[in-house]
Amino acid sequence: MSSNRPYGDVNEAFLDILRDVVGSEHVRTDEEARTTYGADALKKGHPADVVVWPGSTEEVAGVLRACSSYRVPVVPRGAGTGYTGGAVPSFGGVVLSLQRLDKILEIDERNLLAVAECHVVTGDLQKAVEAVGLFYPPDPASLSTSTIGGNVAECAGGPRAFKYGVTKRYVLGLEAVLPSGEIIHTGGKSVKNVVGYDLTQLLVGSEGTLAVITKVIVRLVPLPPTQVTLRATFTTIRAAVDAVVDLVRARVVPSALELIDGDSLDAVATSLETRALAPAGTGALLLLEVDGLAEAVEEEGRRVEQACRDAGATEVLVARDQATREELWRVRRALSLSLKVLAPLKINHDVVVPKGRVPELFDLIARLRATSPGVRIPSFGHVGDGNIHVNLMLDPADPVAVASARAAERALFEGVVALEGSISGEHGIGFSKLPFVPLELSWIEISLQRRIKAAFDPLNILNPGKMFPE
Amino acid sequence: MSSNRPYGDVNEAFLDILRDVVGSEHVRTDEEARTTYGADALKKGHPADVVVWPGSTEEVAGVLRACSSYRVPVVPRGAGTGYTGGAVPSFGGVVLSLQRLDKILEIDERNLLAVAECHVVTGDLQKAVEAVGLFYPPDPASLSTSTIGGNVAECAGGPRAFKYGVTKRYVLGLEAVLPSGEIIHTGGKSVKNVVGYDLTQLLVGSEGTLAVITKVIVRLVPLPPTQVTLRATFTTIRAAVDAVVDLVRARVVPSALELIDGDSLDAVATSLETRALAPAGTGALLLLEVDGLAEAVEEEGRRVEQACRDAGATEVLVARDQATREELWRVRRALSLSLKVLAPLKINHDVVVPKGRVPELFDLIARLRATSPGVRIPSFGHVGDGNIHVNLMLDPADPVAVASARAAERALFEGVVALEGSISGEHGIGFSKLPFVPLELSWIEISLQRRIKAAFDPLNILNPGKMFPE
């Protein structure tokens, strides 16, 4: 552990307390555990000193009490699928894996809600509620591995957010443990509750810096019975965004509205070794989905097709059955992996701008492409939300590429803030985006946030070194 | 001002500063202003020492800086339509009326959002956005007089919350002034933003105790083109709730789902001096509305009618045109005023339970009726959200009635907490519900909330004596 920080050591006395609390088989200090739990999808960070697996909320509380007594930093961790280091130690200490808290406790059809322990995989929760005709909409790309607790801690998004909203709109209540070991309950099973400050929403997106989320009550909605998926291709980004704006004007709210740029399509085509996925000359591809009652979906599908054609689509495919829909979605699902054919390192930034300003964002990306030797910048994302994944693809062994990626990153963040946007729409800050936070928040606002952090965590032991620059 | 509180006096030096900041014509210390601004719909509280009307965010900041320097309590105030004393001084000081900040600044059709100063009347904002085919759903009963800033500060609800959600789901960003006079901006024009803690949602529902909200960015949705309204009558509350549960099972989400009990119907019938509004023997009336594309609305209307009939409705009326819809809504809109025929004093409690437990709530209300001499308890509300307005009607000059109302109030709050509900779904705590907060929140949770308050307001000058018991 860094010696210039006011933290205690992970010594044998401390480890003995952890073993007492969770059982010695659930405490590991071996090299493998320490490094595995010392990184996430970003593959950076500091190894843990010790990894613990509590088996209940009370054991989580016991671990936190021990960390408070010994002033040892502690990092709560779900599935570790994050891109910003949120679940990774900044300087050692305890990684608190929530892996054993993995039960769905309740699916309540009468009240349209589910109660789950934090480490239920989001995709499993979705399948369970869909089996009774209900729907939990948030669908981050990681949903088959990431957990509901992690999704809540990061406020995960996904393609369906345009119509249905991000994770925060579905969280009704939480059980969480403060760094002191005190257990709190926020919100509840009612959709309305104005007693006290909204701690539920404060904890959503707090990246494990305020409390350890152990249980989640989520709101469900009826499962839409019908979907229609459309794929439209355009020669330019601007034409695709025009189609999106026309849709908004036609008062249609698609359940998904994904934009993929030409660079990204090239990568998918190469990677899948398939015939061209889109007509030659395609500069932008839109994937759109409408859902709901069959009667409404047919009408909305027609409006979507019309809006795309009016905006100059070169081709519009419409899929009504599941197999054809899957085929249309294939290009989108293959995207992230496909980009690896372009360069070994991907720096994935989830910037967001008001959707009407997406063409300006792509103008900025075009300027960055022109001024960033050694870096490819395929970009795609949730255009309905103005949330675009801008991927800086480079060879980390090439110093020119590394330098120009660094400059492009800062120019990108400065640019989105100037466009009234945000440097992160769904991945969070973790430690990877720390230096850029002052581009978006004033020091008055940062200082206020630090005071809120201190209200929860006066010793600064819970996931320190995240979210705010020192 | 109460002498046992550590606050400064409203002396001439302090008043001179206020006059410098906002202009002397916008500072009043006369009796009329002090008492008018010393009460809300609850008609209780403490007169202001001085009322000020700042004309800009900067002037709000100047007033707050002066209050900080002189340690004078300051209460932000919108239209003063609240039921819990949120906008009323607990012990004098400044009432900061936001009346002059009343401009709609932007309606952005491309990005589906509006920007408004805090004192825009919510109904006016709705009309303005509906004129361009957009929709701001939250519809508190006070919408023709209450303001968007007040709605945000209290997290207002309304009938449409079942489908569309309460105010918090529509607030994208805020401009607000801290008690120190520092101006902050939270959230923004993007629907996704995970940079820093979600201060926007923390301020929503904070009852003016953390910061003074001066500007609001709200999310809009397309205006639904078609509505169908249905009125169904039942002999019992349980049958009506069965219909609601059947609807949920049929995966229909009405845009309004209002329940009115027999006692309330009697009051409306008396007050309107009209023929019976419902068949004889009606114990419960449901008002339901579905909205959306015409094709879907027809189908959903059929499902609603069927669910009501299956649950034993004694009569189902269906209204497709505006005039007939208005007639069906008339009974609901006349409710609040009509109750006055029952007794001179109405104590209106907006309790909430998970909707499946509404019959248990009405069982509790029946017990309270049987054990509360001198008190009538007509009840109605947003049954889709489990949010029922329980009205204790009594003659305040009757000491027996006053004592039994007081006992009924506590029993009601204890009961809803036992039913996994909340003592307030949309009116807030203010000072009127302070004594009951510990029924719902633990002292650990209350203490945490007080620390958050201190992070914003270390001198405790902003709307003190609200939300949390000392």
Side-chain angles (χ1 to χ4, degrees):
Chain A
M1 198 171 314
S2 169
S3 60
N4 65 349
R5 304 203 175 260
Y7 292 120
D9 283 332
V10 173
N11 56 31
E12 273 307 310
F14 175 72
L15 290 172
D16 279 343
I17 296 177
L18 295 184
R19 292 182 190 114
D20 273 357
V21 171
V22 302
S24 48
E25 69 277 30
H26 300 303
V27 176
R28 282 176 62 184
T29 54
D30 57 284
E31 189 63 21
E32 191 202 336
R34 292 177 54 215
T35 52
T36 305
Y37 287 80
D40 65 3
L42 180 71
K43 300 188 171 51
K44 273 190 193 165
H46 193 294
D49 289 311
V50 54
V51 185
V52 296
W53 287 265
S56 67
T57 303
E58 290 65 34
E59 289 186 10
V60 171
V63 170
L64 289 168
R65 272 195 302 274
C67 292
S68 279
S69 298
Y70 283 75
R71 309 224 166 181
V72 173
V74 50
V75 181
R77 182 177 174 104
T81 57
Y83 275 109
T84 57
V88 173
S90 292
F91 17 84
V94 176
V95 166
L96 190 159
S97 167
L98 293 152
Q99 221 161 339
R100 294 169 65 205
L101 303 181
D102 63 352
K103 306 284 178 304
I104 297 176
L105 301 174
E106 208 178 326
I107 294 175
D108 180 346
E109 290 187 67
R110 256 175 108 86
N111 291 309
L112 294 178
L113 59 86
V115 185
E117 290 184 324
C118 57
H119 211 278
V120 169
V121 169
T122 301
D124 293 345
L125 179 64
Q126 286 176 331
K127 279 180 215 135
V129 305
E130 286 175 21
V132 296
L134 294 174
F135 190 38
Y136 174 71
D139 58 343
S142 59
L143 65 84
S144 64
T145 45
S146 66
T147 64
I148 187 72
N151 286 185
V152 171
E154 299 290 326
C155 191
R160 291 197 286 242
F162 177 56
K163 174 167 180 175
Y164 289 101
V166 295
T167 300
K168 74 170 63 192
R169 273 215 252 150
Y170 293 88
V171 185
L172 290 178
L174 297 171
E175 178 190 79
V177 188
L178 299 180
S180 60
E182 293 168 306
I183 297 168
I184 61 170
H185 294 87
T186 73
K189 291 186 171 176
S190 310
V191 290
K192 289 176 169 176
N193 181 329
V194 291
V195 178
Y197 300 134
D198 191 341
L199 299 187
T200 308
Q201 295 298 325
L202 184 59
L203 292 180
V204 177
S206 66
E207 303 192 15
T209 64
L210 298 180
V212 178
I213 293 165
T214 47
K215 263 179 216 155
V216 179
I217 306 175
V218 293
R219 188 170 71 86
L220 305 172
V221 296
L223 184 65
T226 315
Q227 283 93 20
V228 169
T229 305
L230 296 99
R231 199 193 82 180
T233 46
F234 301 84
T235 51
T236 64
I237 293 284
R238 194 166 287 270
V241 174
D242 282 348
V244 171
V245 171
D246 286 354
L247 272 180
V248 170
R249 289 233 178 82
R251 306 308 178 216
V252 177
V253 181
S255 53
L257 228 175
E258 297 287 297
L259 173 72
I260 304 173
D261 79 351
D263 264 25
S264 306
L265 289 171
D266 290 348
V268 181
T270 310
S271 161
L272 296 184
E273 293 180 350
T274 172
R275 70 193 190 306
L277 284 154
T282 295
L285 182 152
L286 281 182
L287 264 176
L288 308 110
E289 199 158 86
V290 289
D291 69 2
L293 289 183
E295 297 83 349
V297 164
E298 269 308 305
E299 170 61 23
E300 293 198 325
R302 272 191 297 273
R303 292 193 194 179
V304 169
E305 186 170 351
Q306 195 55 49
C308 290
R309 294 203 186 281
D310 289 350
T314 52
E315 184 182 80
V316 183
L317 304 180
V318 184
R320 288 186 176 78
D321 63 286
Q322 186 64 20
T324 323
R325 288 180 52 227
E326 283 299 324
E327 177 58 27
L328 292 193
W329 273 104
R330 191 166 157 235
V331 54
R332 175 67 180 88
R333 300 201 204 285
L335 255 177
S336 274
L337 273 178
S338 299
L339 295 185
K340 302 218 163 124
V341 304
L342 297 178
L345 178 64
K346 177 175 85 168
I347 305 173
N348 171 355
H349 287 308
D350 60 321
V351 297
V352 56
V353 295
K355 70 177 136 306
R357 308 195 77 164
V358 167
E360 291 168 82
L361 173 59
F362 274 93
D363 291 346
L364 168 64
I365 294 168
R367 286 197 299 278
L368 297 178
R369 279 182 184 131
T371 55
S372 306
V375 182
R376 299 279 301 267
I377 316 183
S379 303
F380 60 89
H382 319 307
V383 65
D385 300 315
N387 182 201
I388 303 295
H389 293 261
V390 178
N391 300 283
L392 306 177
M393 307 297 307
L394 64 150
D395 178 353
D398 172 359
V400 171
V402 169
S404 64
R406 213 169 287 279
E409 181 173 70
R410 175 163 284 271
L412 173 68
F413 291 150
E414 287 172 350
V416 295
V417 171
L419 292 171
E420 300 182 282
S422 170
I423 67 174
S424 181
E426 43 188 32
H427 294 171
I429 299 301
F431 52 67
S432 73
K433 287 189 175 179
L434 271 188
F436 307 108
V437 171
L439 294 177
E440 187 165 335
L441 301 184
S442 72
W443 285 100
I444 290 171
E445 290 152 7
I446 292 172
S447 154
L448 175 61
Q449 303 229 1
R450 298 187 74 82
R451 295 198 299 274
I452 294 169
K453 162 79 169 160
F456 282 79
D457 183 18
L459 303 175
N460 196 27
I461 58 161
L462 188 61
N463 213 0
K466 307 287 173 70
M467 282 193 89
F468 310 108
E470 309 260 331
Chain B
M1 196 171 315
S2 169
S3 60
N4 64 349
R5 302 200 177 264
Y7 291 120
D9 284 331
V10 173
N11 56 29
E12 274 306 311
F14 175 73
L15 290 172
D16 279 343
I17 296 177
L18 295 184
R19 291 182 190 114
D20 272 358
V21 171
V22 303
S24 46
E25 69 276 30
H26 300 304
V27 177
R28 283 176 62 184
T29 55
D30 56 284
E31 189 64 21
E32 191 201 335
R34 292 176 55 214
T35 51
T36 305
Y37 287 80
D40 64 4
L42 180 70
K43 299 185 173 51
K44 273 188 193 167
H46 193 294
D49 289 312
V50 53
V51 185
V52 296
W53 287 264
S56 67
T57 303
E58 290 65 34
E59 290 186 11
V60 170
V63 171
L64 289 168
R65 273 195 303 273
C67 292
S68 280
S69 298
Y70 282 75
R71 309 224 167 181
V72 173
V74 49
V75 181
R77 181 176 175 106
T81 57
Y83 275 111
T84 57
V88 174
S90 292
F91 17 85
V94 176
V95 165
L96 191 158
S97 167
L98 294 152
Q99 221 161 337
R100 295 170 64 204
L101 303 182
D102 63 352
K103 307 283 178 304
I104 296 176
L105 301 173
E106 208 177 327
I107 295 175
D108 180 345
E109 291 187 67
R110 254 174 109 88
N111 292 308
L112 293 179
L113 59 85
V115 185
E117 290 184 323
C118 55
H119 210 278
V120 170
V121 170
T122 301
D124 293 344
L125 179 64
Q126 286 176 331
K127 278 179 216 137
V129 306
E130 286 173 22
V132 297
L134 294 174
F135 190 40
Y136 175 72
D139 58 344
S142 60
L143 65 83
S144 65
T145 45
S146 66
T147 65
I148 187 72
N151 287 185
V152 170
E154 299 291 326
C155 191
R160 291 197 286 244
F162 177 55
K163 175 166 180 176
Y164 289 100
V166 295
T167 300
K168 75 170 65 193
R169 273 216 250 148
Y170 293 87
V171 185
L172 289 177
L174 296 170
E175 177 189 81
V177 188
L178 299 181
S180 61
E182 294 168 307
I183 298 167
I184 61 170
H185 295 88
T186 73
K189 291 185 171 178
S190 310
V191 291
K192 289 175 169 177
N193 180 331
V194 292
V195 177
Y197 301 134
D198 190 341
L199 300 188
T200 307
Q201 295 298 324
L202 184 59
L203 291 181
V204 178
S206 67
E207 304 193 13
T209 64
L210 298 180
V212 178
I213 293 165
T214 47
K215 264 179 215 156
V216 179
I217 307 174
V218 293
R219 189 170 70 86
L220 305 172
V221 296
L223 183 66
T226 315
Q227 283 95 20
V228 169
T229 305
L230 297 97
R231 198 193 82 180
T233 46
F234 301 84
T235 52
T236 64
I237 294 285
R238 195 166 288 272
V241 175
D242 282 348
V244 172
V245 171
D246 285 354
L247 273 180
V248 170
R249 288 231 178 84
R251 305 309 177 217
V252 177
V253 182
S255 53
L257 227 174
E258 297 288 297
L259 173 72
I260 304 173
D261 78 353
D263 264 22
S264 306
L265 289 172
D266 290 348
V268 180
T270 309
S271 161
L272 295 184
E273 295 181 348
T274 173
R275 70 193 190 304
L277 285 155
T282 295
L285 182 152
L286 281 182
L287 264 178
L288 308 108
E289 198 158 270
V290 289
D291 69 3
L293 288 184
E295 298 83 349
V297 164
E298 269 308 306
E299 169 60 23
E300 294 198 324
R302 273 191 297 274
R303 292 193 194 180
V304 168
E305 187 171 351
Q306 195 55 50
C308 291
R309 295 203 186 280
D310 288 350
T314 51
E315 183 183 82
V316 184
L317 304 180
V318 184
R320 289 186 175 79
D321 63 285
Q322 186 63 21
T324 324
R325 288 180 52 227
E326 283 299 324
E327 177 58 26
L328 293 192
W329 273 104
R330 191 167 156 234
V331 54
R332 174 68 179 87
R333 299 203 204 283
L335 255 177
S336 274
L337 273 178
S338 300
L339 294 185
K340 302 217 164 127
V341 304
L342 297 178
L345 178 63
K346 177 175 86 169
I347 304 174
N348 170 357
H349 286 310
D350 60 320
V351 299
V352 56
V353 295
K355 68 177 136 306
R357 307 195 79 164
V358 167
E360 292 169 81
L361 173 60
F362 273 93
D363 291 346
L364 168 64
I365 294 170
R367 286 197 300 278
L368 297 179
R369 279 184 184 131
T371 56
S372 307
V375 182
R376 297 279 300 269
I377 316 184
S379 302
F380 60 89
H382 319 305
V383 65
D385 300 315
N387 182 199
I388 302 296
H389 293 261
V390 179
N391 300 282
L392 307 177
M393 306 298 306
L394 64 149
D395 177 353
D398 172 0
V400 172
V402 169
S404 64
R406 213 169 286 280
E409 182 174 69
R410 175 163 284 272
L412 173 68
F413 291 149
E414 287 173 350
V416 295
V417 171
L419 292 171
E420 299 183 283
S422 171
I423 66 173
S424 181
E426 40 188 35
H427 294 171
I429 299 301
F431 52 67
S432 73
K433 287 189 175 179
L434 271 188
F436 307 108
V437 170
L439 294 177
E440 186 164 335
L441 302 183
S442 72
W443 285 101
I444 291 170
E445 290 152 6
I446 292 172
S447 154
L448 174 61
Q449 302 229 1
R450 296 188 74 82
R451 295 198 299 275
I452 294 170
K453 162 77 169 162
F456 283 80
D457 183 19
L459 303 175
N460 196 28
I461 58 160
L462 189 60
N463 212 359
K466 307 288 174 71
M467 283 193 89
F468 310 108
E470 307 262 328

